[in-house]
């Protein structure tokens, strides 16, 4: 493109490039500035180039981490392995040192064996046993031993009379074994705990010595040591007498006794041998011969005069006569249970009496609607009949 000047005498001609991208005009204002404007491309090609550049930078950083990342585990290894080696050496050096024992000192070795055995059983606390053995033979004396002698104290029971309250009471005095308080206080039911209890200083049970019992046999039965029994009872000899009561540290009562205390099941109302002559449910009536006669309990045949025991602890609601059951007793228990004992030859309790599980309530007979001596035993819960065989263990 040409520009021709016609303003003066002198004429001139110049050429302007057609492909000029930027154009800058002279700005006569003292505050004006020149600006550069460029076009932008937001297309797919530009996006892919940007993504490639970002990927390149990421890979470059990752390679840099790999190049210098080994320094951290190397520093950790330089600290960990030397420390582990020092600890292992100290441990081994503390247990493999030879012990110089004088000749003809079998009693020293025996004392060491006994002390170590007692330590593992947590029955003694022996101090400085190795220093004791390393002393001069002429200066040897037995180490001081702390004996675990049981002691008792009478405490007011201030918890609720249920398993939760009983366990809380145990923990308050550092005890873990329910058998401990059950045995030491002759408890039979958690709902009948007295207001005062004898609390021993350690867990264990009271054992009554029978014929042919020895300290060793009792210790073996309850998986403890003879020394622990001797020390707990402050016995100087192993001699025992029949009927003597001793404390067995760590001893446990049978599960049946614990279950009975918790009221978790019913005991059989008869301890003597019997024949189950009729089960719960529909049957042929043994007297009238009527079919589909509903039997409300179980019949347990045995000789007249056999003792009948309360299946659970409770209160006697009825003790009297019924045309069908003859002499009978009804006991009300916790958890809405009731038990009925019929056809007794004699009633040995009275209405309103507090009964423990296993107490004698009467004798077997054949009174009322009966064909022979037997116990009729019925169980109710919430007023509904329950099969007694489903509850008896």
């Amino acid at each position: 493109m040409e520009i021709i000047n016609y303003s003066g005498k002198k004429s001139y001609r110049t050429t302007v490039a057609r492909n000029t991208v930027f154009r800058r005009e002279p700005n006569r204002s003292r505050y004006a500035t020149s600006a550069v404007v460029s076009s932008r491309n937001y297309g797919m090609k530009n996006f892919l180039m940007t993504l490639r550049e970002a990927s390149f930078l990421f890979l470059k950083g990752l390679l840099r981490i790999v190049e210098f990342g080994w320094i951290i585990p190397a520093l950790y290894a330089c600290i960990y392995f030397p420390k582990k080696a020092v600890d292992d050496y100290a441990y081994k050096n503390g247990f493999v040192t030879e012990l110089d024992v004088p000749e003809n000192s079998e009693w020293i070795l025996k004392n060491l064996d006994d002390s170590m055995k007692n330590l593992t059983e947590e029955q003694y606390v022996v101090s400085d046993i190795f220093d004791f053995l390393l002393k001069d033979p002429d200066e040897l004396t037995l180490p001081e031993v702390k004996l675990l002698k049981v002691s008792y104290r009478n405490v007011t029971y201030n918890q609720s009379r249920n398993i939760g309250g009983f366990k809380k009471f145990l923990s308050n005095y550092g005890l873990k074994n329910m058998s401990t308080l059950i045995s030491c206080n002759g408890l039979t039911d958690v709902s009948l705990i007295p207001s005062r209890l004898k609390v021993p200083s350690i867990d264990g049970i009271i054992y009554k010595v029978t014929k042919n019992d020895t300290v060793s046999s009792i210790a073996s039965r309850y998986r403890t040591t003879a020394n622990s029994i001797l020390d707990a009872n402050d016995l100087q000899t192993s001699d025992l007498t029949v009927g003597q009561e001793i404390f067995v540290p760590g001893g446990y009562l049978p599960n049946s006794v614990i279950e009975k205390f918790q009221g978790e099941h019913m005991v059989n109302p008869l301890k003597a041998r019997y024949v189950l002559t009729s089960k719960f449910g529909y049957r042929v009536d043994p007297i009238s011969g009527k079919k589909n006669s509903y039997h409300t309990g179980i019949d347990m045949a045995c000789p007249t005069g056999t003792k009948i025991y309360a299946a659970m602890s409770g209160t006697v609601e009825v003790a009297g006569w019924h045309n069908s059951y003859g002499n009978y007793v009804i006991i009300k228990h916790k958890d809405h249970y009731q038990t009925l004992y019929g056809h007794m030859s004699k009633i040995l309790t009275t209405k309103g009496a507090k009964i423990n599980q296993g107490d004698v309530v009467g004798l077997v007979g054949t009174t009322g609607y009966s064909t022979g001596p037997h116990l009729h035993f019925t169980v109710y819960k919430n007023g509904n009949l329950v099969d007694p065989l489903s509850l008896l263990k």
Side-chain angles (χ1 to χ4, degrees):
M1 179 177 69
E2 293 182 348
I3 301 176
I4 301 174
N5 183 11
Y6 296 98
S7 62
K9 296 181 179 180
K10 186 178 179 179
S11 62
Y12 62 86
R13 179 177 295 178
T14 183
T15 302
V16 179
R18 293 179 179 275
N19 296 328
T20 301
V21 178
F22 304 105
R23 183 184 182 95
R24 179 175 298 173
E25 295 290 342
N27 193 336
R28 300 181 182 217
S29 172
R30 54 186 286 188
Y31 300 103
T33 58
S34 60
V36 179
V37 180
S38 62
S39 61
R40 295 187 180 183
N41 183 7
Y42 292 96
M44 181 60 69
K45 182 178 179 180
N46 186 54
F47 171 75
L48 293 175
M49 293 178 65
T50 304
L51 182 62
R52 184 179 67 177
E53 291 177 1
S55 301
F56 175 76
L57 291 175
F58 174 76
L59 292 174
K60 185 177 180 180
L62 185 62
L63 290 175
R64 187 60 58 87
I65 293 174
V66 173
E67 182 179 358
F68 296 100
W70 60 270
I71 296 177
I72 295 176
L75 290 175
Y76 177 79
C78 290
I79 297 173
Y80 172 76
F81 288 107
K83 183 178 182 301
K84 186 176 185 300
V86 172
D87 292 342
D88 290 345
Y89 175 79
Y91 177 83
K92 293 179 181 179
N93 189 57
F95 284 91
V96 300
T97 304
E98 293 185 359
L99 186 65
D100 186 16
V101 180
E103 296 182 359
N104 301 322
S105 301
E106 291 82 358
W107 68 276
I108 296 179
L109 296 176
K110 183 178 184 303
N111 183 77
L112 176 62
D113 290 339
D114 292 342
S115 299
M116 292 300 102
K117 179 180 178 182
N118 290 328
L119 277 174
T120 58
E121 295 172 352
E122 299 181 356
Q123 299 295 335
Y124 296 88
V125 177
V126 183
S127 60
D128 300 327
I129 184 65
F130 291 103
D131 292 341
F132 156 73
L133 291 174
L134 292 173
K135 288 182 180 179
D136 187 279
D138 296 332
E139 300 177 359
L140 288 177
T141 57
L142 290 175
E144 294 183 0
V145 176
K146 180 181 178 181
L147 303 180
L148 293 181
K149 179 183 176 181
V150 65
S151 59
Y152 301 92
R153 53 180 169 173
N154 291 319
V155 180
T156 300
Y157 186 83
N158 53 6
Q159 300 293 333
S160 57
R161 283 165 174 76
N162 53 40
I163 295 302
F166 187 74
K167 288 183 176 180
K168 184 177 181 180
F169 183 84
L170 277 173
S171 63
N172 288 343
Y173 292 93
L175 302 174
K176 299 179 180 180
N177 185 354
M178 287 176 50
S179 300
T180 302
L181 292 185
I182 295 174
S183 172
C184 293
N185 295 275
L187 304 179
T188 58
D189 192 294
V190 68
S191 63
L192 301 176
I193 298 175
S195 58
R196 301 281 291 179
L197 291 178
K198 184 170 71 171
V199 180
S201 56
I202 55 177
D203 273 312
I205 63 171
I206 299 294
Y207 179 81
K208 192 172 184 178
V209 178
T210 60
K211 187 177 180 181
N212 299 326
D213 274 340
T214 64
V215 174
S216 296
S217 65
I218 296 172
S220 177
R221 184 181 308 168
Y222 291 101
R223 298 181 181 180
T224 185
T225 64
N227 284 338
S228 66
I229 294 178
L230 293 173
D231 294 335
N233 296 275
D234 197 21
L235 299 176
Q236 303 301 320
T237 67
S238 300
D239 297 333
L240 300 175
T241 58
V242 176
Q244 179 181 358
E245 290 187 347
I246 60 174
F247 187 85
V248 181
Y252 281 81
L253 293 173
N255 288 335
S256 59
V257 176
I258 303 297
E259 291 175 354
K260 175 183 175 182
F261 171 75
Q262 296 180 121
E264 293 180 349
H265 75 283
M266 293 185 176
V267 299
N268 200 306
L270 294 179
K271 296 182 180 180
R273 297 183 63 179
Y274 64 89
V275 176
L276 186 64
T277 55
S278 185
K279 295 183 179 181
F280 175 83
Y282 289 100
R283 64 169 184 174
V284 177
D285 190 285
I287 297 179
S288 66
K290 180 182 177 181
K291 296 181 179 180
N292 294 327
S293 174
Y294 195 80
H295 193 220
T296 59
I298 58 175
D299 288 342
M300 311 162 78
C302 57
T304 299
T306 302
K307 291 182 179 179
I308 302 171
Y309 301 90
M312 296 177 71
S313 300
T315 304
V316 177
E317 278 193 320
V318 179
W321 173 267
H322 187 276
N323 290 335
S324 295
Y325 297 124
N327 292 320
Y328 78 112
V329 168
I330 295 179
I331 302 176
K332 182 180 180 180
H333 314 283
K334 61 182 180 180
D335 298 329
H336 308 289
Y337 277 104
Q338 290 175 299
T339 52
L340 181 149
Y341 312 79
H343 307 304
M344 295 180 176
S345 61
K346 188 175 183 180
I347 298 174
L348 298 179
T349 187
T350 57
K351 182 179 179 179
K354 300 293 184 181
I355 299 293
N356 291 325
Q357 188 179 52
D359 285 352
V360 178
V361 295
L363 304 177
V364 171
T366 184
T367 56
Y369 192 74
S370 172
T371 59
H374 71 283
L375 168 65
H376 174 88
F377 181 58
T378 297
V379 178
Y380 302 89
K381 183 168 186 179
N382 293 318
N384 299 316
L385 290 168
V386 179
D387 184 358
L389 294 181
S390 67
L391 300 174
L392 296 179
K393 290 189 178 181

mmCIF file of all heavy atoms in Angstrom, residues 4 7 9 14 16 52 70 79 111 120 145 162 165 202 225 271 278 289 321 324 336 342 348 373 389:
data_model
loop_
_atom_site.group_PDB
_atom_site.id
_atom_site.type_symbol
_atom_site.label_atom_id
_atom_site.label_comp_id
_atom_site.label_asym_id
_atom_site.label_seq_id
_atom_site.Cartn_x
_atom_site.Cartn_y
_atom_site.Cartn_z
ATOM 1 N N ILE A 4 0.729 8.805 -0.546
ATOM 2 C CA ILE A 4 1.264 9.932 -1.334
ATOM 3 C C ILE A 4 0.974 11.221 -0.602
ATOM 4 O O ILE A 4 -0.151 11.453 -0.143
ATOM 5 C CB ILE A 4 0.637 9.984 -2.750
ATOM 6 C CG1 ILE A 4 0.930 8.651 -3.471
ATOM 7 C CG2 ILE A 4 1.175 11.165 -3.530
ATOM 8 C CD1 ILE A 4 0.238 8.566 -4.802
ATOM 9 N N SER A 7 0.681 17.580 0.426
ATOM 10 C CA SER A 7 0.586 18.809 1.198
ATOM 11 C C SER A 7 1.661 19.833 0.863
ATOM 12 O O SER A 7 1.507 21.014 1.161
ATOM 13 C CB SER A 7 0.613 18.479 2.696
ATOM 14 O OG SER A 7 1.833 17.861 2.988
ATOM 15 N N LYS A 9 5.464 21.041 -1.363
ATOM 16 C CA LYS A 9 6.117 21.013 -2.640
ATOM 17 C C LYS A 9 6.807 19.692 -2.882
ATOM 18 O O LYS A 9 6.880 19.231 -3.998
ATOM 19 C CB LYS A 9 7.139 22.142 -2.712
ATOM 20 C CG LYS A 9 6.508 23.521 -2.642
ATOM 21 C CD LYS A 9 7.577 24.592 -2.739
ATOM 22 C CE LYS A 9 6.962 26.003 -2.687
ATOM 23 N NZ LYS A 9 7.992 27.077 -2.773
ATOM 24 N N THR A 14 5.864 6.060 0.216
ATOM 25 C CA THR A 14 6.398 4.970 1.084
ATOM 26 C C THR A 14 5.494 3.761 1.007
ATOM 27 O O THR A 14 4.331 3.867 0.586
ATOM 28 C CB THR A 14 6.507 5.414 2.547
ATOM 29 O OG1 THR A 14 7.080 4.381 3.317
ATOM 30 C CG2 THR A 14 5.113 5.741 3.122
ATOM 31 N N VAL A 16 3.856 0.446 3.068
ATOM 32 C CA VAL A 16 3.511 -0.138 4.389
ATOM 33 C C VAL A 16 3.287 -1.626 4.211
ATOM 34 O O VAL A 16 2.533 -2.039 3.328
ATOM 35 C CB VAL A 16 2.232 0.497 4.980
ATOM 36 C CG1 VAL A 16 1.893 -0.148 6.320
ATOM 37 C CG2 VAL A 16 2.423 1.993 5.133
ATOM 38 N N ARG A 52 -0.077 -32.122 28.179
ATOM 39 C CA ARG A 52 1.238 -32.742 27.990
ATOM 40 C C ARG A 52 2.284 -32.079 28.868
ATOM 41 O O ARG A 52 3.129 -32.736 29.486
ATOM 42 C CB ARG A 52 1.635 -32.657 26.524
ATOM 43 C CG ARG A 52 2.955 -33.370 26.196
ATOM 44 C CD ARG A 52 3.288 -33.279 24.740
ATOM 45 N NE ARG A 52 3.594 -31.873 24.377
ATOM 46 C CZ ARG A 52 3.980 -31.499 23.162
ATOM 47 N NH1 ARG A 52 4.071 -32.402 22.178
ATOM 48 N NH2 ARG A 52 4.240 -30.220 22.898
ATOM 49 N N TRP A 70 15.442 -42.378 48.829
ATOM 50 C CA TRP A 70 16.108 -43.447 49.597
ATOM 51 C C TRP A 70 16.774 -42.922 50.870
ATOM 52 O O TRP A 70 17.140 -43.695 51.763
ATOM 53 C CB TRP A 70 17.167 -44.120 48.725
ATOM 54 C CG TRP A 70 18.234 -43.172 48.244
ATOM 55 C CD1 TRP A 70 18.216 -42.443 47.109
ATOM 56 C CD2 TRP A 70 19.452 -42.852 48.933
ATOM 57 N NE1 TRP A 70 19.338 -41.671 46.998
ATOM 58 C CE2 TRP A 70 20.129 -41.903 48.122
ATOM 59 C CE3 TRP A 70 20.024 -43.250 50.124
ATOM 60 C CZ2 TRP A 70 21.351 -41.370 48.485
ATOM 61 C CZ3 TRP A 70 21.249 -42.731 50.488
ATOM 62 C CH2 TRP A 70 21.907 -41.794 49.681
ATOM 63 N N ILE A 79 19.470 -45.647 62.484
ATOM 64 C CA ILE A 79 19.106 -45.456 63.895
ATOM 65 C C ILE A 79 18.544 -46.742 64.507
ATOM 66 O O ILE A 79 18.895 -47.120 65.630
ATOM 67 C CB ILE A 79 18.075 -44.314 64.012
ATOM 68 C CG1 ILE A 79 18.692 -42.999 63.535
ATOM 69 C CG2 ILE A 79 17.578 -44.173 65.452
ATOM 70 C CD1 ILE A 79 17.704 -41.853 63.461
ATOM 71 N N ASN A 111 16.615 -74.036 97.157
ATOM 72 C CA ASN A 111 15.948 -72.798 97.563
ATOM 73 C C ASN A 111 15.663 -71.907 96.356
ATOM 74 O O ASN A 111 14.605 -71.278 96.256
ATOM 75 C CB ASN A 111 16.819 -72.050 98.572
ATOM 76 C CG ASN A 111 16.147 -70.788 99.093
ATOM 77 O OD1 ASN A 111 15.263 -70.858 99.924
ATOM 78 N ND2 ASN A 111 16.590 -69.650 98.589
ATOM 79 N N THR A 120 6.574 -67.662 89.925
ATOM 80 C CA THR A 120 5.734 -67.873 88.752
ATOM 81 C C THR A 120 4.288 -68.100 89.140
ATOM 82 O O THR A 120 3.375 -67.823 88.360
ATOM 83 C CB THR A 120 6.232 -69.089 87.941
ATOM 84 O OG1 THR A 120 6.228 -70.255 88.790
ATOM 85 C CG2 THR A 120 7.641 -68.856 87.428
ATOM 86 N N VAL A 145 10.633 -63.259 102.839
ATOM 87 C CA VAL A 145 9.524 -63.707 102.002
ATOM 88 C C VAL A 145 8.217 -63.132 102.543
ATOM 89 O O VAL A 145 7.958 -63.193 103.742
ATOM 90 C CB VAL A 145 9.454 -65.255 101.962
ATOM 91 C CG1 VAL A 145 8.239 -65.697 101.157
ATOM 92 C CG2 VAL A 145 10.727 -65.833 101.377
ATOM 93 N N ASN A 162 -28.801 -58.201 93.223
ATOM 94 C CA ASN A 162 -28.818 -58.863 91.925
ATOM 95 C C ASN A 162 -27.368 -59.104 91.512
ATOM 96 O O ASN A 162 -26.434 -58.698 92.217
ATOM 97 C CB ASN A 162 -29.561 -58.037 90.872
ATOM 98 C CG ASN A 162 -29.045 -56.613 90.762
ATOM 99 O OD1 ASN A 162 -27.843 -56.371 90.823
ATOM 100 N ND2 ASN A 162 -29.949 -55.661 90.618
ATOM 101 N N GLY A 165 -25.158 -55.899 91.143
ATOM 102 C CA GLY A 165 -24.753 -55.321 92.416
ATOM 103 C C GLY A 165 -23.743 -56.182 93.145
ATOM 104 O O GLY A 165 -22.803 -55.677 93.779
ATOM 105 N N ILE A 202 -8.164 -62.174 99.995
ATOM 106 C CA ILE A 202 -7.784 -62.709 98.688
ATOM 107 C C ILE A 202 -8.897 -63.635 98.188
ATOM 108 O O ILE A 202 -9.742 -64.087 98.962
ATOM 109 C CB ILE A 202 -6.445 -63.494 98.743
ATOM 110 C CG1 ILE A 202 -6.505 -64.599 99.796
ATOM 111 C CG2 ILE A 202 -5.279 -62.558 99.004
ATOM 112 C CD1 ILE A 202 -5.246 -65.462 99.868
ATOM 113 N N THR A 225 -0.968 -74.664 95.037
ATOM 114 C CA THR A 225 0.176 -75.326 95.648
ATOM 115 C C THR A 225 -0.085 -75.596 97.120
ATOM 116 O O THR A 225 -0.865 -74.891 97.773
ATOM 117 C CB THR A 225 1.438 -74.468 95.503
ATOM 118 O OG1 THR A 225 1.262 -73.245 96.226
ATOM 119 C CG2 THR A 225 1.712 -74.144 94.036
ATOM 120 N N LYS A 271 -34.185 -85.720 95.143
ATOM 121 C CA LYS A 271 -32.795 -86.155 95.056
ATOM 122 C C LYS A 271 -32.684 -87.675 95.024
ATOM 123 O O LYS A 271 -31.683 -88.220 94.569
ATOM 124 C CB LYS A 271 -31.990 -85.590 96.225
ATOM 125 C CG LYS A 271 -31.902 -84.056 96.215
ATOM 126 C CD LYS A 271 -31.055 -83.547 97.372
ATOM 127 C CE LYS A 271 -30.971 -82.013 97.357
ATOM 128 N NZ LYS A 271 -30.149 -81.492 98.484
ATOM 129 N N SER A 278 -45.431 -90.040 84.205
ATOM 130 C CA SER A 278 -46.309 -89.264 83.334
ATOM 131 C C SER A 278 -45.657 -87.930 83.027
ATOM 132 O O SER A 278 -45.208 -87.226 83.937
ATOM 133 C CB SER A 278 -47.681 -89.046 83.992
ATOM 134 O OG SER A 278 -48.564 -88.386 83.106
ATOM 135 N N GLY A 289 -59.475 -93.300 82.603
ATOM 136 C CA GLY A 289 -59.235 -93.852 81.278
ATOM 137 C C GLY A 289 -59.596 -92.902 80.148
ATOM 138 O O GLY A 289 -59.563 -93.275 78.972
ATOM 139 N N TRP A 321 -54.803 -78.269 101.524
ATOM 140 C CA TRP A 321 -55.440 -79.450 100.914
ATOM 141 C C TRP A 321 -56.203 -79.047 99.659
ATOM 142 O O TRP A 321 -56.834 -77.985 99.591
ATOM 143 C CB TRP A 321 -56.383 -80.101 101.913
ATOM 144 C CG TRP A 321 -57.202 -81.218 101.317
ATOM 145 C CD1 TRP A 321 -58.446 -81.125 100.781
ATOM 146 C CD2 TRP A 321 -56.800 -82.565 101.183
ATOM 147 N NE1 TRP A 321 -58.863 -82.348 100.318
ATOM 148 C CE2 TRP A 321 -57.862 -83.270 100.556
ATOM 149 C CE3 TRP A 321 -55.657 -83.284 101.537
ATOM 150 C CZ2 TRP A 321 -57.811 -84.630 100.272
ATOM 151 C CZ3 TRP A 321 -55.608 -84.635 101.271
ATOM 152 C CH2 TRP A 321 -56.679 -85.304 100.630
ATOM 153 N N SER A 324 -57.887 -82.645 94.255
ATOM 154 C CA SER A 324 -57.097 -83.346 93.233
ATOM 155 C C SER A 324 -55.665 -83.559 93.685
ATOM 156 O O SER A 324 -55.097 -84.655 93.556
ATOM 157 C CB SER A 324 -57.099 -82.551 91.921
ATOM 158 O OG SER A 324 -58.412 -82.492 91.384
ATOM 159 N N HIS A 336 -41.547 -64.095 88.113
ATOM 160 C CA HIS A 336 -42.940 -64.508 87.865
ATOM 161 C C HIS A 336 -43.103 -66.026 87.725
ATOM 162 O O HIS A 336 -44.000 -66.494 87.042
ATOM 163 C CB HIS A 336 -43.491 -63.814 86.616
ATOM 164 C CG HIS A 336 -43.315 -62.331 86.630
ATOM 165 N ND1 HIS A 336 -44.033 -61.509 87.465
ATOM 166 C CD2 HIS A 336 -42.472 -61.528 85.920
ATOM 167 C CE1 HIS A 336 -43.662 -60.251 87.265
ATOM 168 N NE2 HIS A 336 -42.715 -60.236 86.345
ATOM 169 N N GLY A 342 -47.575 -81.638 94.641
ATOM 170 C CA GLY A 342 -48.825 -82.261 95.064
ATOM 171 C C GLY A 342 -48.691 -83.688 95.562
ATOM 172 O O GLY A 342 -47.653 -84.349 95.374
ATOM 173 N N LEU A 348 -44.209 -79.871 105.208
ATOM 174 C CA LEU A 348 -43.188 -79.472 106.184
ATOM 175 C C LEU A 348 -42.855 -77.977 106.102
ATOM 176 O O LEU A 348 -41.741 -77.567 106.431
ATOM 177 C CB LEU A 348 -41.918 -80.297 105.980
ATOM 178 C CG LEU A 348 -42.071 -81.803 106.178
ATOM 179 C CD1 LEU A 348 -40.752 -82.525 105.924
ATOM 180 C CD2 LEU A 348 -42.573 -82.104 107.595
ATOM 181 N N PRO A 373 -47.949 -93.687 95.414
ATOM 182 C CA PRO A 373 -47.057 -92.646 95.936
ATOM 183 C C PRO A 373 -46.215 -92.011 94.817
ATOM 184 O O PRO A 373 -45.505 -92.704 94.094
ATOM 185 C CB PRO A 373 -46.181 -93.388 96.947
ATOM 186 C CG PRO A 373 -46.265 -94.831 96.560
ATOM 187 C CD PRO A 373 -47.621 -95.028 95.964
ATOM 188 N N LEU A 389 -39.766 -80.262 82.589
ATOM 189 C CA LEU A 389 -38.544 -80.897 82.080
ATOM 190 C C LEU A 389 -37.700 -79.927 81.269
ATOM 191 O O LEU A 389 -36.504 -80.154 81.071
ATOM 192 C CB LEU A 389 -38.914 -82.121 81.233
ATOM 193 C CG LEU A 389 -39.566 -83.281 81.987
ATOM 194 C CD1 LEU A 389 -39.868 -84.434 81.037
ATOM 195 C CD2 LEU A 389 -38.668 -83.772 83.124
#
